[in-house]
Amino acid sequence: MAFKPALVVVDFQQDFCPPTGSLAVPDGLSILPVLNTLLSYPFPLKIATRDWHPPDHVSFAANHSRLPQNSATAVITHPTDPSQSYVTALWPVHCVQDTPGAEIVPGLHVRELHRVIDKGMDPRVEMYSAFYDPFHVSDSGLAKLLKDEGVTDVFVVGLAADFCVKATAEHAFDEGFRTYIVHEATKPVFPETWGECSDKITGKGIKLVSMDGPELARLRA
């Protein structure tokens, strides 16, 4: 069976890491050594992604002044088709383009990367996934890149497990790739519900694997 794996390091950025990140994931910085170990492995393709939001991005609570002050959600509507909409969480301002919080965490071995892909640049749509937003309005080109390179398997790591890592893995699976999340190489925003969330992810056919499991051993071999 063909095996050409890619590593996708999702949004390992300053604003997602303690102690100073505006949207810090609990223990998010602790995965740095594991990420660097994975980057040392012979993946034919290693990609990092960055949230790269404009200041007026729809996911920022600060941009919804008409909502109640304590509102945690908002309705996002398709930019050109009002019949399509969904309710989503709102967040503090984070990963604004060309700000320190949007930069990749110092210490990540970026020299090992083949490509950095920016996402979330369209202010009108939310984009957890590194592939595209839920309406498919904004496409990063990641699916085409992976297919053009002949990738068969995608290993997804980074932050955060229950949002951007999850969405990226789901879209990788939807695009036809065998897909894995390396559990030591990610952390969730909400640790208390990660067990239930991960069960739903694996229920879709995505594998949650470990650093010492056979999937990565195959790569090292």
Side-chain angles (χ1 to χ4, degrees):
M1 185 179 296
F3 180 64
K4 186 174 182 179
L7 178 69
V8 179
V9 181
V10 177
D11 299 357
F12 194 60
Q13 295 166 269
Q14 293 278 61
D15 269 344
F16 294 129
C17 287
T20 60
S22 63
L23 186 49
V25 177
D27 295 322
L29 194 58
S30 69
I31 66 173
L32 176 59
V34 183
L35 296 181
N36 282 337
T37 297
L38 287 167
L39 285 169
S40 73
Y41 290 172
F43 286 95
L45 187 60
K46 305 170 190 178
I47 297 167
T49 75
R50 296 189 302 185
D51 258 1
W52 199 246
H53 297 314
D56 58 344
H57 198 261
V58 70
S59 70
F60 297 166
N63 292 329
H64 294 268
S65 58
R66 295 184 181 181
L67 292 174
Q69 197 168 28
N70 62 348
S71 178
T73 61
V75 175
I76 294 184
T77 302
H78 192 294
T80 60
D81 182 1
S83 69
Q84 298 185 51
S85 64
Y86 64 96
V87 177
T88 189
L90 294 177
W91 304 103
V93 175
H94 63 277
C95 297
V96 174
Q97 297 169 4
D98 298 312
T99 66
E103 295 305 320
I104 291 175
V105 172
L108 187 73
H109 292 172
V110 294
R111 64 183 179 275
E112 300 288 346
L113 296 168
H114 298 107
R115 185 79 62 89
V116 176
I117 291 178
D118 292 332
K119 66 186 185 70
M121 295 179 287
D122 189 326
R124 306 169 298 171
V125 293
E126 172 191 70
M127 192 171 173
Y128 292 147
S129 169
F131 287 87
Y132 31 71
D133 69 279
F135 299 129
H136 290 227
V137 169
S138 182
D139 189 326
S140 71
L142 178 57
K144 183 178 186 303
L145 171 63
L146 295 172
K147 291 175 182 179
D148 286 350
E149 293 291 332
V151 167
T152 59
D153 296 66
V154 176
F155 290 78
V156 186
V157 297
L159 300 173
D162 42 356
F163 287 93
C164 295
V165 168
K166 171 180 177 288
T168 298
E170 289 174 342
H171 283 168
F173 185 81
D174 291 344
E175 289 291 334
F177 302 104
R178 294 188 292 265
T179 306
Y180 317 85
I181 295 173
V182 183
H183 75 81
E184 297 99 331
T186 188
K187 292 290 182 181
V189 175
F190 300 113
E192 66 277 10
T193 58
W194 173 235
E196 179 183 352
C197 181
S198 63
D199 286 346
K200 291 179 180 178
I201 292 170
T202 55
K204 294 179 180 180
I206 298 161
K207 292 185 178 180
L208 191 64
V209 301
S210 65
M211 288 291 288
D212 59 356
E215 297 83 5
L216 286 168
R218 181 182 185 187
L219 175 68
R220 292 191 297 270

